[in-house]
Amino acid sequence: MKNFTSVHDVDNVQALVQDALSIKKDPYAFENLGKHKTLGLIFLNPSLRTRLSTQKAAANLGMNTMVMNLDKEGWALETEDGVIMNSNKAEHIREAAAVLGQYCDIIGIRSFPQLRNRDDDYNELILKKMINFSGRPVVSLESATRHPLQSLADLVTITELAPDFLNRKPKVVLTWAPHIKPLPQAVPNSFAEWMLKSDVEFVITHPEGYELAEEFTNGANIIYDQDKALQDADFVYVKNWSSYSDYGHILNSDKSWMLNNKKLYKTSNARVMHCLPVRRDVELASEVLDGQNSIVIQEAGNRVFAAQAVLKQLLMDNF
Ligand code: CP
């Protein structure tokens, strides 16, 4: 594996999941693999889980980590080529990425979409330029269109909890939830992409107008009736996203889409997932979050082992 930006960078998804589960049992088995190697973690947006879980994963592998909140601590970045740099953007990503490549052996970058121009966001300029100009393996810490470290941790969690007595594939339902702000499509895009590479029955439910880009959902069963979609679910993944077609806009704030216990009773005693942070009683009812079906903390804990499996693979394949 050269970079980790989507499920398409992974040769064998199931092997990576199993490796993360092995690492969970013995986190220090490769504690010298990253000795004298430096991981740079560059954030253009806030983070709790991604930042700390990836730092911990690197430490478990013996790596040094340097973290920079580039949006607050660095020079404002110009990403367009061919512009005369007479605005407030003091540094071009060409030099910034190349310099990071001098200091770091592996680079992680978080770069959210602006949600203004769909083509700009879906072109993933920052991620692509970091790969092109750093000359180092790059890990997406959530880009404009995907959050692969989250999706891998989600799949690890589903794999470790999938009931082995079922004589069918586990049914996984991604359900849209209300929110007060327009959010990116990165988490649901990515979750769909990883589920469609896995041995699960995958259903997406959302109000009309919230269809995700087909490149991420081709092969998924899309059902607009949430109650119908939830029937017999083994896992329910709750997430808000803004519209892809009416790009970046909120089209619906119907509170009846929030998962509560009444809706949960329609499922097959489903485990409830959310990538966090979550707005209580806006996206997801407190009674569900605090209930015994919620696995959001275990899911966040697995972020360490997902990141560690990815860093381990990059270290083994590139050095
Ligand atoms: N789920 C997730 O990526 O959390 P952070 O935004 O806190 O990193």
Side-chain angles (χ1 to χ4, degrees):
M1 185 161 69
K2 177 71 184 147
N3 301 292
F4 182 76
T5 63
S6 82
V7 74
H8 305 298
D9 290 324
V10 181
D11 284 339
N12 186 334
V13 171
Q14 281 315 310
L16 192 63
V17 169
Q18 289 306 322
D19 199 36
L21 288 169
S22 302
I23 289 166
K24 186 170 183 172
K25 289 194 184 108
D26 188 4
Y28 308 112
F30 293 86
E31 64 187 350
N32 291 315
L33 184 68
K35 193 173 175 191
H36 302 315
K37 293 285 181 288
T38 298
L39 174 68
L41 296 178
I42 306 301
F43 287 89
L44 296 169
N45 315 94
S47 172
L48 188 162
R49 281 143 290 270
T50 305
R51 174 173 171 162
L52 298 184
S53 63
T54 311
Q55 267 189 279
K56 185 170 168 71
N60 289 351
L61 292 165
M63 299 184 82
N64 301 312
T65 305
M66 298 193 296
V67 184
M68 189 166 181
N69 295 311
L70 198 69
D71 57 328
K72 297 182 189 73
E73 299 161 357
W75 302 106
L77 279 188
E78 178 58 69
T79 55
E80 296 292 329
D81 284 325
V83 293
I84 296 168
M85 287 178 56
N86 57 4
S87 75
N88 63 338
K89 295 178 181 173
E91 174 144 40
H92 204 282
I93 193 166
R94 283 175 173 258
E95 286 79 47
V99 170
L100 286 165
Q102 298 290 304
Y103 305 151
C104 306
D105 299 285
I106 298 176
I107 297 170
I109 181 157
R110 168 166 281 199
S111 164
F112 286 176
Q114 302 292 320
L115 293 179
R116 287 196 286 267
N117 181 311
R118 189 170 84 182
D119 288 344
D120 283 355
D121 288 343
Y122 275 66
N123 272 337
E124 295 281 18
L125 266 189
I126 292 179
L127 189 62
K128 283 180 187 162
K129 290 192 174 181
M130 185 58 73
I131 291 169
N132 285 347
F133 299 119
S134 71
R136 296 294 185 180
V138 170
V139 177
S140 166
L141 305 174
E142 186 172 343
S143 69
T145 63
R146 292 179 172 95
H147 195 356
L149 284 175
Q150 179 67 52
S151 307
L152 174 58
D154 297 335
L155 182 55
V156 167
T157 310
I158 289 169
T159 304
E160 74 179 342
L161 291 176
D164 51 17
F165 55 80
L166 285 183
N167 55 2
R168 57 176 171 78
K169 295 177 183 184
K171 179 175 174 182
V172 179
V173 179
L174 166 62
T175 180
W176 181 88
H179 202 283
I180 58 162
K181 288 174 65 180
L183 297 191
Q185 296 102 32
V187 169
N189 281 346
S190 196
F191 185 71
E193 206 169 51
W194 284 73
M195 286 302 111
L196 289 166
K197 288 264 187 187
S198 305
D199 197 23
V200 301
E201 181 194 346
F202 183 51
V203 173
I204 306 176
T205 184
H206 54 70
E208 290 193 38
Y210 279 94
E211 292 79 8
L212 296 163
E214 265 187 46
E215 64 178 294
F216 299 100
T217 60
N218 250 330
N221 185 7
I222 298 168
I223 300 176
Y224 295 113
D225 180 338
Q226 190 194 38
D227 286 349
K228 193 171 162 204
L230 290 173
Q231 277 169 22
D232 301 323
D234 299 297
F235 295 90
V236 180
Y237 198 97
V238 178
K239 186 73 185 86
N240 170 269
W241 61 91
S242 59
S243 174
Y244 174 75
S245 54
D246 190 359
Y247 190 64
H249 288 108
I250 295 177
L251 307 180
N252 189 320
S253 41
D254 181 355
K255 291 183 176 129
S256 73
W257 275 83
M258 182 182 75
L259 191 76
N260 55 20
N261 275 343
K262 196 168 163 215
K263 286 177 184 286
L264 192 57
Y265 293 143
K266 298 177 196 302
T267 69
S268 179
N269 195 24
R271 301 291 176 262
V272 177
M273 307 178 71
H274 190 287
C275 63
L276 306 181
V278 63
R279 286 180 184 254
R280 283 174 169 259
D281 300 309
V282 175
E283 282 177 90
L284 186 50
S286 291
E287 64 186 13
V288 176
L289 264 172
D290 299 332
Q292 60 185 16
N293 289 52
S294 171
I295 55 170
V296 298
I297 303 303
Q298 180 172 344
E299 184 185 358
N302 282 336
R303 292 290 307 270
V304 174
F305 312 110
Q308 202 169 325
V310 167
L311 292 173
K312 179 185 161 208
Q313 189 77 47
L314 289 173
L315 286 167
M316 289 169 73
D317 290 353
N318 292 284
F319 299 97

